[in-house]
Amino acid sequence: MQDELIARAKAWLAEDPDTDTREELAKLIDAEDTAELTARFTGTLQFGTAGLRGELGAGPMRMNRSVVIRAAAGLAAYLKARGQADGLVVIGYDARHKSADFARDTAAVMTGAGLRAAVLPRPLPTPVLAYAIRHLGAVAGVEVTASHNPPRDNGYKVYLGDGSQIVPPADTEIAAEIAAVASLADVPRPDSGWEILDEGVLDAYLERTDAVLTAGSPRTARTVYTAMHGVGKETLLAAFARAGFPAPELVAEQAEPDPDFPTVAFPNPEEPGAMDLAFAKARATDPDLIIANDPDADRCAAAVKDGGDWRMLRGDEVGALLAAHLVRRGARGTFAESIVSSSLLGRIAETAGLPYEETLTGFKWIARVEGLRYGYEEALGYCVDPDGVRDKDGITAALAVTELASELKEEGRTLPDLLDDLAVEHGLHATDQLSVRVDDLSLITDAMRRLRERPPTRLAGLAVTRAEDLTLGTDRLPPTDGLRYTLDGARVVVRPSGTEPKLKCYLEVVVPVGTHDGLPAARATAAELLSAIKRDLSAAAGI
């Protein structure tokens, strides 16, 4: 068994084009590190509806140039088999370790396969790539990013010509083409022949950002901004300058791209401590709003002064605020969200007489809703201009929420004031999440099995009125690995994360509120219920 493992590792080493991973793998082979080699060579990194994402390193279970070259070759074969042999593939990348290398390898593979390839001029936000696909009439796009994952990770996100991320069956069909690549020697990789795009594509994207704002709207809100060591700063500052907003105060320690993300444990605004430097800057400068992007700037977080200090708004709160803002502006079209997001969006849409849709988790589904006008997901993802970017976009979302803050400021009001109004009108929709990160993925499998075998009948004293196993699909949703429980005045969705080793449980309670005076009591009730649901669900899942 060990001889076979060493043989597989040596075969991989022989064709590895990267000196860094060659050196790393050679040391493991020389040391006969069976445990580490087993972890890297038992299986392959799976290509799914999130594309590829994983830890950097040598071997088929890691992100590296060999894996990326195979993925690009599989995508090229998929496109050629569908009559797009002379099509254009646009490639973008973030500032993570190896991102530029992976982008160049992808361009080389596409060129070698006879397709046309164009690479964005430098590390730019993911929404610029999503925009460029349709703007340039491409048949596909690739974004090299691991979004808000830890520094050791990278990823490979694939879009087709409609500008949306791939969904089944495209993912399995591309995966089959990847598996058919026998050797890297079979993949032509010329040294040139692709185009490096100029700044014109970014200029076109920035011109499009104007579409999310109302002509003549107030632009007075002052912001603190953090790019979270990612690629958002220059694009966001340019968009804010075009719009006429005051220049944001930057969190200097996190303003420039840094693939090591030195000031945060996880470069995700939702993670504890990630916003501490932004809060400190806000306490010193007293802005109206804090804006944060994640490292590839497709997500947008907002924080507000509430009760004398700063707090992060939950993704569901920003989602509702942007929906209310669009309704106030007379937006028409379908409002959509994923099943793990707050049901408040449905209430807002219904009251406004607008169509509403629920989808599976991920913007690959939300972006495909017919007639989409606005879509959001609780994990800080917002699509406020689907005609421009059919994906979440942290730049245009930042513009829209800052416009809303400006309008409220002119009225002597704040974002928390509008949230209070929405709670009184529609009921207090309070959400929370029970998220468990694991080193052993079998723990997630075990938890899902327990819940399927012994589904809870009560949570927080509330009867479970409906339990759905989403692997079976519903009349409106295709199958997915998840569970949904409907309670009297509450809802719970449990699913394994598609991008991280986490089990994620999404909780919502709805508490009626008669007047603004009733809000403190309603919030206390909601907090108690959410805490009790967490406790009972954790026990039921054995986590």
mmCIF file of all heavy atoms in Angstrom, residues 508-537:
data_model
loop_
_atom_site.group_PDB
_atom_site.id
_atom_site.type_symbol
_atom_site.label_atom_id
_atom_site.label_comp_id
_atom_site.label_asym_id
_atom_site.label_seq_id
_atom_site.Cartn_x
_atom_site.Cartn_y
_atom_site.Cartn_z
ATOM 1 N N GLU A 508 -34.481 31.206 12.217
ATOM 2 C CA GLU A 508 -35.269 32.438 12.153
ATOM 3 C C GLU A 508 -36.495 32.296 13.054
ATOM 4 O O GLU A 508 -37.157 31.253 13.054
ATOM 5 C CB GLU A 508 -35.729 32.733 10.733
ATOM 6 C CG GLU A 508 -36.589 34.007 10.655
ATOM 7 C CD GLU A 508 -37.038 34.364 9.245
ATOM 8 O OE1 GLU A 508 -37.438 33.450 8.496
ATOM 9 O OE2 GLU A 508 -36.992 35.554 8.896
ATOM 10 N N VAL A 509 -36.774 33.350 13.821
ATOM 11 C CA VAL A 509 -38.032 33.423 14.569
ATOM 12 C C VAL A 509 -38.722 34.722 14.173
ATOM 13 O O VAL A 509 -38.074 35.722 13.847
ATOM 14 C CB VAL A 509 -37.803 33.380 16.100
ATOM 15 C CG1 VAL A 509 -37.140 32.076 16.508
ATOM 16 C CG2 VAL A 509 -36.973 34.556 16.578
ATOM 17 N N VAL A 510 -40.043 34.684 14.181
ATOM 18 C CA VAL A 510 -40.851 35.862 13.844
ATOM 19 C C VAL A 510 -41.745 36.174 15.029
ATOM 20 O O VAL A 510 -42.550 35.334 15.441
ATOM 21 C CB VAL A 510 -41.697 35.622 12.579
ATOM 22 C CG1 VAL A 510 -42.477 36.892 12.222
ATOM 23 C CG2 VAL A 510 -40.814 35.188 11.409
ATOM 24 N N VAL A 511 -41.565 37.370 15.588
ATOM 25 C CA VAL A 511 -42.323 37.780 16.768
ATOM 26 C C VAL A 511 -43.185 38.984 16.384
ATOM 27 O O VAL A 511 -42.657 40.009 15.934
ATOM 28 C CB VAL A 511 -41.378 38.165 17.932
ATOM 29 C CG1 VAL A 511 -42.183 38.583 19.156
ATOM 30 C CG2 VAL A 511 -40.444 37.005 18.268
ATOM 31 N N PRO A 512 -44.501 38.900 16.538
ATOM 32 C CA PRO A 512 -45.359 40.045 16.204
ATOM 33 C C PRO A 512 -45.029 41.255 17.086
ATOM 34 O O PRO A 512 -44.683 41.115 18.263
ATOM 35 C CB PRO A 512 -46.776 39.527 16.491
ATOM 36 C CG PRO A 512 -46.666 38.033 16.496
ATOM 37 C CD PRO A 512 -45.282 37.735 16.989
ATOM 38 N N VAL A 513 -45.118 42.438 16.498
ATOM 39 C CA VAL A 513 -44.858 43.692 17.219
ATOM 40 C C VAL A 513 -46.003 44.652 16.902
ATOM 41 O O VAL A 513 -46.273 44.929 15.733
ATOM 42 C CB VAL A 513 -43.520 44.333 16.791
ATOM 43 C CG1 VAL A 513 -43.227 45.551 17.671
ATOM 44 C CG2 VAL A 513 -42.383 43.339 16.863
ATOM 45 N N GLY A 514 -46.655 45.164 17.933
ATOM 46 C CA GLY A 514 -47.770 46.069 17.696
ATOM 47 C C GLY A 514 -47.331 47.497 17.431
ATOM 48 O O GLY A 514 -47.819 48.156 16.508
ATOM 49 N N THR A 515 -46.405 47.977 18.217
ATOM 50 C CA THR A 515 -45.940 49.357 18.110
ATOM 51 C C THR A 515 -44.437 49.403 18.347
ATOM 52 O O THR A 515 -43.830 48.412 18.786
ATOM 53 C CB THR A 515 -46.617 50.262 19.160
ATOM 54 O OG1 THR A 515 -46.175 49.853 20.470
ATOM 55 C CG2 THR A 515 -48.135 50.182 19.076
ATOM 56 N N HIS A 516 -43.825 50.567 18.100
ATOM 57 C CA HIS A 516 -42.404 50.721 18.366
ATOM 58 C C HIS A 516 -42.083 50.481 19.847
ATOM 59 O O HIS A 516 -40.994 49.992 20.174
ATOM 60 C CB HIS A 516 -41.937 52.120 17.948
ATOM 61 C CG HIS A 516 -41.760 52.258 16.458
ATOM 62 N ND1 HIS A 516 -42.815 52.375 15.594
ATOM 63 C CD2 HIS A 516 -40.630 52.287 15.689
ATOM 64 C CE1 HIS A 516 -42.359 52.480 14.350
ATOM 65 N NE2 HIS A 516 -41.033 52.434 14.383
ATOM 66 N N ASP A 517 -43.023 50.815 20.726
ATOM 67 C CA ASP A 517 -42.795 50.599 22.159
ATOM 68 C C ASP A 517 -42.633 49.115 22.493
ATOM 69 O O ASP A 517 -42.025 48.762 23.502
ATOM 70 C CB ASP A 517 -43.952 51.187 22.980
ATOM 71 C CG ASP A 517 -43.965 52.710 22.942
ATOM 72 O OD1 ASP A 517 -42.914 53.293 22.620
ATOM 73 O OD2 ASP A 517 -45.026 53.293 23.225
ATOM 74 N N GLY A 518 -43.196 48.261 21.648
ATOM 75 C CA GLY A 518 -43.124 46.826 21.907
ATOM 76 C C GLY A 518 -41.862 46.160 21.409
ATOM 77 O O GLY A 518 -41.655 44.953 21.627
ATOM 78 N N LEU A 519 -40.992 46.922 20.748
ATOM 79 C CA LEU A 519 -39.802 46.315 20.153
ATOM 80 C C LEU A 519 -38.831 45.723 21.174
ATOM 81 O O LEU A 519 -38.322 44.612 20.958
ATOM 82 C CB LEU A 519 -39.083 47.334 19.271
ATOM 83 C CG LEU A 519 -39.688 47.524 17.879
ATOM 84 C CD1 LEU A 519 -39.096 48.757 17.198
ATOM 85 C CD2 LEU A 519 -39.431 46.282 17.019
ATOM 86 N N PRO A 520 -38.514 46.408 22.295
ATOM 87 C CA PRO A 520 -37.576 45.802 23.247
ATOM 88 C C PRO A 520 -38.036 44.439 23.760
ATOM 89 O O PRO A 520 -37.235 43.495 23.847
ATOM 90 C CB PRO A 520 -37.499 46.841 24.370
ATOM 91 C CG PRO A 520 -37.821 48.142 23.704
ATOM 92 C CD PRO A 520 -38.861 47.798 22.683
ATOM 93 N N ALA A 521 -39.318 44.321 24.087
ATOM 94 C CA ALA A 521 -39.824 43.037 24.580
ATOM 95 C C ALA A 521 -39.778 41.981 23.483
ATOM 96 O O ALA A 521 -39.440 40.811 23.735
ATOM 97 C CB ALA A 521 -41.257 43.211 25.098
ATOM 98 N N ALA A 522 -40.095 42.378 22.246
ATOM 99 C CA ALA A 522 -40.069 41.425 21.129
ATOM 100 C C ALA A 522 -38.646 40.939 20.881
ATOM 101 O O ALA A 522 -38.416 39.743 20.621
ATOM 102 C CB ALA A 522 -40.632 42.084 19.870
ATOM 103 N N ARG A 523 -37.681 41.843 20.989
ATOM 104 C CA ARG A 523 -36.283 41.432 20.785
ATOM 105 C C ARG A 523 -35.826 40.475 21.884
ATOM 106 O O ARG A 523 -35.089 39.520 21.614
ATOM 107 C CB ARG A 523 -35.382 42.665 20.745
ATOM 108 C CG ARG A 523 -35.541 43.486 19.481
ATOM 109 C CD ARG A 523 -34.348 44.406 19.233
ATOM 110 N NE ARG A 523 -34.518 45.094 17.959
ATOM 111 C CZ ARG A 523 -35.041 46.318 17.830
ATOM 112 N NH1 ARG A 523 -35.408 46.983 18.905
ATOM 113 N NH2 ARG A 523 -35.178 46.863 16.637
ATOM 114 N N ALA A 524 -36.247 40.723 23.106
ATOM 115 C CA ALA A 524 -35.882 39.825 24.204
ATOM 116 C C ALA A 524 -36.481 38.438 23.985
ATOM 117 O O ALA A 524 -35.812 37.409 24.187
ATOM 118 C CB ALA A 524 -36.345 40.417 25.538
ATOM 119 N N THR A 525 -37.741 38.409 23.560
ATOM 120 C CA THR A 525 -38.392 37.125 23.273
ATOM 121 C C THR A 525 -37.672 36.383 22.161
ATOM 122 O O THR A 525 -37.420 35.172 22.248
ATOM 123 C CB THR A 525 -39.867 37.356 22.885
ATOM 124 O OG1 THR A 525 -40.555 37.953 23.979
ATOM 125 C CG2 THR A 525 -40.547 36.047 22.510
ATOM 126 N N ALA A 526 -37.334 37.125 21.093
ATOM 127 C CA ALA A 526 -36.661 36.498 19.955
ATOM 128 C C ALA A 526 -35.301 35.941 20.368
ATOM 129 O O ALA A 526 -34.933 34.828 19.961
ATOM 130 C CB ALA A 526 -36.492 37.521 18.829
ATOM 131 N N ALA A 527 -34.554 36.686 21.172
ATOM 132 C CA ALA A 527 -33.232 36.226 21.604
ATOM 133 C C ALA A 527 -33.339 34.946 22.424
ATOM 134 O O ALA A 527 -32.534 34.014 22.263
ATOM 135 C CB ALA A 527 -32.536 37.317 22.406
ATOM 136 N N GLU A 528 -34.334 34.885 23.310
ATOM 137 C CA GLU A 528 -34.535 33.677 24.116
ATOM 138 C C GLU A 528 -34.873 32.482 23.239
ATOM 139 O O GLU A 528 -34.355 31.372 23.435
ATOM 140 C CB GLU A 528 -35.652 33.921 25.132
ATOM 141 C CG GLU A 528 -35.279 34.898 26.248
ATOM 142 C CD GLU A 528 -36.471 35.232 27.130
ATOM 143 O OE1 GLU A 528 -37.528 34.573 26.973
ATOM 144 O OE2 GLU A 528 -36.358 36.148 27.968
ATOM 145 N N LEU A 529 -35.751 32.692 22.266
ATOM 146 C CA LEU A 529 -36.154 31.597 21.378
ATOM 147 C C LEU A 529 -34.971 31.101 20.543
ATOM 148 O O LEU A 529 -34.757 29.894 20.401
ATOM 149 C CB LEU A 529 -37.290 32.045 20.464
ATOM 150 C CG LEU A 529 -38.671 32.155 21.103
ATOM 151 C CD1 LEU A 529 -39.660 32.824 20.150
ATOM 152 C CD2 LEU A 529 -39.191 30.759 21.500
ATOM 153 N N LEU A 530 -34.208 32.035 19.985
ATOM 154 C CA LEU A 530 -33.062 31.634 19.169
ATOM 155 C C LEU A 530 -32.042 30.860 19.995
ATOM 156 O O LEU A 530 -31.489 29.853 19.533
ATOM 157 C CB LEU A 530 -32.407 32.871 18.537
ATOM 158 C CG LEU A 530 -33.198 33.540 17.403
ATOM 159 C CD1 LEU A 530 -32.575 34.885 17.037
ATOM 160 C CD2 LEU A 530 -33.251 32.635 16.160
ATOM 161 N N SER A 531 -31.795 31.298 21.206
ATOM 162 C CA SER A 531 -30.852 30.598 22.074
ATOM 163 C C SER A 531 -31.333 29.186 22.392
ATOM 164 O O SER A 531 -30.551 28.227 22.358
ATOM 165 C CB SER A 531 -30.663 31.405 23.368
ATOM 166 O OG SER A 531 -29.799 30.738 24.255
ATOM 167 N N ALA A 532 -32.625 29.071 22.649
ATOM 168 C CA ALA A 532 -33.178 27.748 22.977
ATOM 169 C C ALA A 532 -33.185 26.825 21.759
ATOM 170 O O ALA A 532 -32.925 25.617 21.877
ATOM 171 C CB ALA A 532 -34.596 27.914 23.531
ATOM 172 N N ILE A 533 -33.478 27.381 20.577
ATOM 173 C CA ILE A 533 -33.445 26.564 19.362
ATOM 174 C C ILE A 533 -32.027 26.056 19.109
ATOM 175 O O ILE A 533 -31.813 24.888 18.780
ATOM 176 C CB ILE A 533 -33.969 27.365 18.146
ATOM 177 C CG1 ILE A 533 -35.474 27.615 18.277
ATOM 178 C CG2 ILE A 533 -33.684 26.607 16.840
ATOM 179 C CD1 ILE A 533 -36.050 28.545 17.204
ATOM 180 N N LYS A 534 -31.046 26.923 19.289
ATOM 181 C CA LYS A 534 -29.646 26.515 19.131
ATOM 182 C C LYS A 534 -29.315 25.343 20.049
ATOM 183 O O LYS A 534 -28.717 24.347 19.636
ATOM 184 C CB LYS A 534 -28.720 27.689 19.463
ATOM 185 C CG LYS A 534 -28.364 28.597 18.322
ATOM 186 C CD LYS A 534 -27.266 29.547 18.795
ATOM 187 C CE LYS A 534 -26.911 30.565 17.757
ATOM 188 N NZ LYS A 534 -25.837 31.471 18.204
ATOM 189 N N ARG A 535 -29.699 25.501 21.310
ATOM 190 C CA ARG A 535 -29.393 24.472 22.301
ATOM 191 C C ARG A 535 -30.051 23.146 21.930
ATOM 192 O O ARG A 535 -29.404 22.084 21.927
ATOM 193 C CB ARG A 535 -29.884 24.940 23.673
ATOM 194 C CG ARG A 535 -29.643 23.962 24.822
ATOM 195 C CD ARG A 535 -30.497 24.344 26.021
ATOM 196 N NE ARG A 535 -31.924 24.206 25.751
ATOM 197 C CZ ARG A 535 -32.846 25.115 26.061
ATOM 198 N NH1 ARG A 535 -32.508 26.251 26.654
ATOM 199 N NH2 ARG A 535 -34.122 24.883 25.781
ATOM 200 N N ASP A 536 -31.321 23.178 21.582
ATOM 201 C CA ASP A 536 -32.051 21.938 21.290
ATOM 202 C C ASP A 536 -31.587 21.307 19.980
ATOM 203 O O ASP A 536 -31.502 20.075 19.866
ATOM 204 C CB ASP A 536 -33.554 22.225 21.231
ATOM 205 C CG ASP A 536 -34.129 22.619 22.584
ATOM 206 O OD1 ASP A 536 -33.399 22.523 23.589
ATOM 207 O OD2 ASP A 536 -35.299 23.050 22.629
ATOM 208 N N LEU A 537 -31.291 22.153 18.995
ATOM 209 C CA LEU A 537 -30.833 21.624 17.713
ATOM 210 C C LEU A 537 -29.453 20.998 17.846
ATOM 211 O O LEU A 537 -29.174 19.939 17.276
ATOM 212 C CB LEU A 537 -30.821 22.743 16.668
ATOM 213 C CG LEU A 537 -30.464 22.336 15.242
ATOM 214 C CD1 LEU A 537 -31.510 21.382 14.675
ATOM 215 C CD2 LEU A 537 -30.351 23.572 14.350
#
